[in-house]
Amino acid sequence: MARDWRKSRIGHFIGGEWVAAVSGRCYPDHSPWSGEVLAEVAAGGADDAERAIAAAGEAFPGWSALPPWRRQQVFLRAADLLEARHGEVLDALAAETGCGRHFGEVQVGFAVKLLRQAAQLPYQPTGSLLPSDIAGTQAMAVRRPVGVVGAIAPWNASLTLSGRGIVGPLALGNTVVLKPSEDAPYTGGALWAEILHEAGLPPGALNVVTHAPGEAGGVADAMLASPIVKRINFTGSTPTGRRLAEKAGRHLKRVVLQLSGQNPLIVTRDADLAYAVDAAAYGAFIHQGQVCMCARRIYVERPVAAEFTERFAAKVAALPTGDPHDPATVVGPVINEWALALLDRRVKEAVELGSRVLAGGVPQPPCYPATVLTDVPDEAEIAQGETFGPVVVVEAVDSAEDAVTRANASDLGLVASIITGTPQYGLKLASRLETGIVHVNDQPVNDEPQMPFGGVKDSGWGRFGLGFAAEEFSELQWVTVRDQNRDFSF
C-alpha cells in the first residue's frame, strides 16, 4: 500500500521487509528546491548489501520457476498501481529530484509502458533448435536466467532509470538487488519496492539498499565481490563506470554500462529553423539539462547560423525558471549545491577563455538558468566532457560533414540528432556518426522501453531495452539429447 514517505524513515527493503541499516545510521534526504528534509534514510554499507544479496539468492529458485502467467500478472498489476498513484509520484519526483511536471509525466509514462511491455517477456521463446552434423543428436540453445542481478541507478531520472535497471532482469526470472542514488532513495528505490511488493512480487525477488552520500563504495563492492551476483547494470558517469568496470574485470563479472554523453545536435542549412529552435531548446533544457541524452553541442551550418543562434538565444532566455511544483516551470533546481557550483565554475572558466554568453550564465540558487555559450575554445572544460546541467554550446560550421567530424572527435558517443530538410541526407550523416543512437529530425532526448538504448566509445557497454534484455541478463546454454546410443569405438 502507498504510505506517506515524507517526514518518515526509509529503510532498506530486504526479503520483503523494511529494515534498518546494520549500523543503525540514517541520513537526511533533502529537497533540492526548498532544502527541507523529506525523510530520514537508512545509511547502509557492505553488511546490508550482503544481507540483500543473500535474500535475492534465496528467492531466485522460486521466482524463476513460477509459470509465465504468474510473473506476467505481477507486472500488469504493478503498472495499474503506478498509474493509480500518478499524481503522488509526480509530487515525489518534484520534491526529491527537482523534476518538473513535464519530465515527471515522461518518467511515469515510460515506467508504466516498461511494466506492461515486460509482462510479455515470460512468454518469449527461451531457445532454439540447432542443426547437428552428428546423426541421432538433437541440439538446442536454451536461455536461462542468470540468477542475482545488481542494479545501480542514478538520481536524475530516478523512476525511469531504476525501473529500467530492475524490470527487465526480473521479467526474465532473475532476482535483483537495487542500489538507488543517495539523492533519490525514495523515487529511485523505495517506491519501486512498494509497488512491486504490492503487485505480488515474492519476498526477496527485489531488494533495495540505500546509503549516505559518499558511501556508495561499500554497497557496490559487495555486489562486485559476491559470487552470488552474476550481472551488474549501472547508469551514471563515465569516470564511475570505468572504476566499476575495472573492479568487475577482476571478478570476471559482466556489466552493462550506460554512461556520460556529450551529445551533438546538427542543424543543416535547409532545416526548418523554427522547428530546429524548438527542438534544440527542448533537447538541451528538459529537466534543466540533467539528462544523459541532452544536447550539449549544437552545430549549425554557417549560412543559417546567425539567424538560428539569435532565435535560439531569445527563446532560451525566456524559459521560466523556478519551483518544480509549478506546471509552468521549465528550468527547476539543479540537484545540489555541488552541481550548482560546478556549473558556475565551468561557465566562468569558458568566459575567461573568450566564450560569449548569449543567454543565462548567472546562477539563481538553487537554480541555474538555461544558458547558451558560443565561441567556446576546445580547451575549456565545458567543451570536453559532460557538463550535467542547463548549459549548451552553439558553434557555426562550414558544413554538416564538418559537424560530424567535430562530433566524432569526442571520446563520448551516446546519442546525436540531426535537423534537416532532407531526411535521406540526415540518414547518410547518421551512418557516419560514432554514437549508439541517432535521431533524424528530432532532438536527442528519446527513450522507449523496447529500444536498444546505449552508447559506444566511453559512453558505455551493452544495451538496455526489453527487446535486448535477454542478451544481457540470461545465459545461453547448449544442450544436446541423443535418440539412440552413439558408437564410442576408437
Side-chain angles (χ1 to χ4, degrees), residues 32-33 321-324 329 331-334 340 343 362-369 390:
W33 170 247
T321 301
D323 187 347
T329 295
V331 181
V334 295
L340 186 69
L343 285 164
V362 179
Q364 299 175 17
C367 301
Y368 198 91

mmCIF file of all heavy atoms in Angstrom, residues 32-33 321-324 329 331-334 340 343 362-369 390:
data_model
loop_
_atom_site.group_PDB
_atom_site.id
_atom_site.type_symbol
_atom_site.label_atom_id
_atom_site.label_comp_id
_atom_site.label_asym_id
_atom_site.label_seq_id
_atom_site.Cartn_x
_atom_site.Cartn_y
_atom_site.Cartn_z
ATOM 1 N N PRO A 32 15.979 19.491 -3.303
ATOM 2 C CA PRO A 32 16.880 20.445 -3.956
ATOM 3 C C PRO A 32 16.272 21.831 -4.121
ATOM 4 O O PRO A 32 17.007 22.802 -4.315
ATOM 5 C CB PRO A 32 17.172 19.793 -5.307
ATOM 6 C CG PRO A 32 16.015 18.895 -5.562
ATOM 7 C CD PRO A 32 15.569 18.413 -4.214
ATOM 8 N N TRP A 33 14.949 21.934 -4.069
ATOM 9 C CA TRP A 33 14.295 23.230 -4.232
ATOM 10 C C TRP A 33 14.205 23.972 -2.899
ATOM 11 O O TRP A 33 14.675 25.099 -2.774
ATOM 12 C CB TRP A 33 12.905 23.065 -4.836
ATOM 13 C CG TRP A 33 12.083 24.323 -4.811
ATOM 14 C CD1 TRP A 33 10.958 24.572 -4.089
ATOM 15 C CD2 TRP A 33 12.341 25.536 -5.546
ATOM 16 N NE1 TRP A 33 10.492 25.850 -4.314
ATOM 17 C CE2 TRP A 33 11.331 26.463 -5.205
ATOM 18 C CE3 TRP A 33 13.340 25.919 -6.445
ATOM 19 C CZ2 TRP A 33 11.283 27.735 -5.741
ATOM 20 C CZ3 TRP A 33 13.298 27.204 -6.980
ATOM 21 C CH2 TRP A 33 12.275 28.098 -6.636
ATOM 22 N N THR A 321 12.031 29.822 -15.014
ATOM 23 C CA THR A 321 12.917 29.165 -14.060
ATOM 24 C C THR A 321 12.322 29.263 -12.667
ATOM 25 O O THR A 321 11.803 30.314 -12.288
ATOM 26 C CB THR A 321 14.309 29.833 -14.080
ATOM 27 O OG1 THR A 321 14.848 29.745 -15.397
ATOM 28 C CG2 THR A 321 15.261 29.176 -13.099
ATOM 29 N N GLY A 322 12.378 28.152 -11.894
ATOM 30 C CA GLY A 322 11.885 28.245 -10.527
ATOM 31 C C GLY A 322 11.382 26.944 -9.945
ATOM 32 O O GLY A 322 11.981 25.890 -10.147
ATOM 33 N N ASP A 323 10.261 27.030 -9.243
ATOM 34 C CA ASP A 323 9.694 25.935 -8.448
ATOM 35 C C ASP A 323 9.274 24.768 -9.338
ATOM 36 O O ASP A 323 8.433 24.929 -10.227
ATOM 37 C CB ASP A 323 8.470 26.470 -7.682
ATOM 38 C CG ASP A 323 7.902 25.467 -6.702
ATOM 39 O OD1 ASP A 323 8.273 24.276 -6.752
ATOM 40 O OD2 ASP A 323 7.060 25.886 -5.879
ATOM 41 N N PRO A 324 9.819 23.568 -9.120
ATOM 42 C CA PRO A 324 9.444 22.433 -9.966
ATOM 43 C C PRO A 324 7.994 21.994 -9.796
ATOM 44 O O PRO A 324 7.465 21.279 -10.649
ATOM 45 C CB PRO A 324 10.411 21.329 -9.526
ATOM 46 C CG PRO A 324 10.778 21.691 -8.124
ATOM 47 C CD PRO A 324 10.813 23.194 -8.107
ATOM 48 N N THR A 329 6.929 25.932 -14.886
ATOM 49 C CA THR A 329 8.389 25.934 -14.796
ATOM 50 C C THR A 329 9.006 24.995 -15.827
ATOM 51 O O THR A 329 8.586 23.854 -15.975
ATOM 52 C CB THR A 329 8.841 25.517 -13.381
ATOM 53 O OG1 THR A 329 8.405 26.508 -12.450
ATOM 54 C CG2 THR A 329 10.356 25.388 -13.304
ATOM 55 N N VAL A 331 12.781 25.237 -16.203
ATOM 56 C CA VAL A 331 14.098 25.010 -15.601
ATOM 57 C C VAL A 331 13.965 25.097 -14.086
ATOM 58 O O VAL A 331 13.812 26.181 -13.521
ATOM 59 C CB VAL A 331 15.127 26.031 -16.119
ATOM 60 C CG1 VAL A 331 16.502 25.770 -15.501
ATOM 61 C CG2 VAL A 331 15.209 25.973 -17.637
ATOM 62 N N GLY A 332 14.007 23.951 -13.430
ATOM 63 C CA GLY A 332 13.926 23.897 -11.979
ATOM 64 C C GLY A 332 15.301 23.886 -11.346
ATOM 65 O O GLY A 332 16.310 24.193 -11.994
ATOM 66 N N PRO A 333 15.391 23.493 -10.080
ATOM 67 C CA PRO A 333 16.676 23.493 -9.388
ATOM 68 C C PRO A 333 17.587 22.386 -9.893
ATOM 69 O O PRO A 333 17.120 21.323 -10.309
ATOM 70 C CB PRO A 333 16.282 23.238 -7.934
ATOM 71 C CG PRO A 333 15.019 22.438 -8.038
ATOM 72 C CD PRO A 333 14.292 23.007 -9.213
ATOM 73 N N VAL A 334 18.893 22.637 -9.850
ATOM 74 C CA VAL A 334 19.829 21.536 -10.054
ATOM 75 C C VAL A 334 19.883 20.724 -8.776
ATOM 76 O O VAL A 334 19.380 21.147 -7.734
ATOM 77 C CB VAL A 334 21.222 22.037 -10.485
ATOM 78 C CG1 VAL A 334 21.143 22.713 -11.841
ATOM 79 C CG2 VAL A 334 21.820 22.985 -9.446
ATOM 80 N N LEU A 340 25.551 23.008 -8.646
ATOM 81 C CA LEU A 340 25.414 24.432 -8.974
ATOM 82 C C LEU A 340 26.787 25.097 -9.055
ATOM 83 O O LEU A 340 27.069 25.860 -9.990
ATOM 84 C CB LEU A 340 24.536 25.117 -7.931
ATOM 85 C CG LEU A 340 24.178 26.579 -8.202
ATOM 86 C CD1 LEU A 340 23.234 26.688 -9.394
ATOM 87 C CD2 LEU A 340 23.549 27.216 -6.969
ATOM 88 N N LEU A 343 28.662 24.036 -12.301
ATOM 89 C CA LEU A 343 28.164 24.744 -13.477
ATOM 90 C C LEU A 343 28.713 26.169 -13.525
ATOM 91 O O LEU A 343 29.187 26.631 -14.567
ATOM 92 C CB LEU A 343 26.631 24.778 -13.451
ATOM 93 C CG LEU A 343 25.907 23.489 -13.793
ATOM 94 C CD1 LEU A 343 24.447 23.567 -13.337
ATOM 95 C CD2 LEU A 343 25.968 23.209 -15.280
ATOM 96 N N VAL A 362 24.145 33.359 -15.168
ATOM 97 C CA VAL A 362 24.247 33.880 -13.806
ATOM 98 C C VAL A 362 23.413 32.990 -12.891
ATOM 99 O O VAL A 362 22.204 32.841 -13.109
ATOM 100 C CB VAL A 362 23.745 35.337 -13.714
ATOM 101 C CG1 VAL A 362 23.841 35.844 -12.273
ATOM 102 C CG2 VAL A 362 24.550 36.237 -14.642
ATOM 103 N N PRO A 363 24.020 32.368 -11.872
ATOM 104 C CA PRO A 363 23.270 31.453 -11.001
ATOM 105 C C PRO A 363 22.083 32.148 -10.327
ATOM 106 O O PRO A 363 22.152 33.329 -9.978
ATOM 107 C CB PRO A 363 24.301 31.025 -9.963
ATOM 108 C CG PRO A 363 25.621 31.322 -10.564
ATOM 109 C CD PRO A 363 25.424 32.499 -11.466
ATOM 110 N N GLN A 364 21.017 31.397 -10.139
ATOM 111 C CA GLN A 364 19.842 31.841 -9.385
ATOM 112 C C GLN A 364 19.529 30.747 -8.366
ATOM 113 O O GLN A 364 18.572 29.998 -8.523
ATOM 114 C CB GLN A 364 18.652 32.076 -10.325
ATOM 115 C CG GLN A 364 18.879 33.136 -11.383
ATOM 116 C CD GLN A 364 17.722 33.235 -12.361
ATOM 117 O OE1 GLN A 364 16.616 32.749 -12.116
ATOM 118 N NE2 GLN A 364 17.966 33.862 -13.500
ATOM 119 N N PRO A 365 20.374 30.576 -7.338
ATOM 120 C CA PRO A 365 20.249 29.440 -6.424
ATOM 121 C C PRO A 365 18.812 29.239 -5.911
ATOM 122 O O PRO A 365 18.151 30.220 -5.598
ATOM 123 C CB PRO A 365 21.180 29.817 -5.282
ATOM 124 C CG PRO A 365 22.181 30.748 -5.907
ATOM 125 C CD PRO A 365 21.402 31.523 -6.933
ATOM 126 N N PRO A 366 18.373 27.974 -5.885
ATOM 127 C CA PRO A 366 19.093 26.734 -6.197
ATOM 128 C C PRO A 366 19.051 26.356 -7.684
ATOM 129 O O PRO A 366 19.326 25.218 -8.027
ATOM 130 C CB PRO A 366 18.329 25.700 -5.369
ATOM 131 C CG PRO A 366 16.914 26.192 -5.403
ATOM 132 C CD PRO A 366 17.015 27.699 -5.347
ATOM 133 N N CYS A 367 18.686 27.323 -8.540
ATOM 134 C CA CYS A 367 18.603 27.053 -9.979
ATOM 135 C C CYS A 367 19.816 27.631 -10.698
ATOM 136 O O CYS A 367 20.479 28.553 -10.203
ATOM 137 C CB CYS A 367 17.336 27.666 -10.574
ATOM 138 S SG CYS A 367 15.790 27.077 -9.827
ATOM 139 N N TYR A 368 20.069 27.077 -11.867
ATOM 140 C CA TYR A 368 20.985 27.698 -12.809
ATOM 141 C C TYR A 368 20.175 27.908 -14.082
ATOM 142 O O TYR A 368 19.618 26.944 -14.623
ATOM 143 C CB TYR A 368 22.205 26.815 -13.096
ATOM 144 C CG TYR A 368 23.343 27.590 -13.708
ATOM 145 C CD1 TYR A 368 24.313 28.166 -12.905
ATOM 146 C CD2 TYR A 368 23.424 27.777 -15.083
ATOM 147 C CE1 TYR A 368 25.348 28.915 -13.455
ATOM 148 C CE2 TYR A 368 24.450 28.518 -15.642
ATOM 149 C CZ TYR A 368 25.406 29.098 -14.823
ATOM 150 O OH TYR A 368 26.428 29.852 -15.374
ATOM 151 N N PRO A 369 20.050 29.136 -14.557
ATOM 152 C CA PRO A 369 19.165 29.380 -15.698
ATOM 153 C C PRO A 369 19.682 28.742 -16.975
ATOM 154 O O PRO A 369 20.881 28.457 -17.109
ATOM 155 C CB PRO A 369 19.163 30.910 -15.819
ATOM 156 C CG PRO A 369 20.490 31.320 -15.253
ATOM 157 C CD PRO A 369 20.758 30.356 -14.130
ATOM 158 N N PRO A 390 21.935 22.837 -17.296
ATOM 159 C CA PRO A 390 21.302 23.600 -18.370
ATOM 160 C C PRO A 390 22.244 24.547 -19.098
ATOM 161 O O PRO A 390 22.038 25.768 -19.114
ATOM 162 C CB PRO A 390 20.199 24.357 -17.628
ATOM 163 C CG PRO A 390 20.754 24.571 -16.262
ATOM 164 C CD PRO A 390 21.574 23.352 -15.958
#
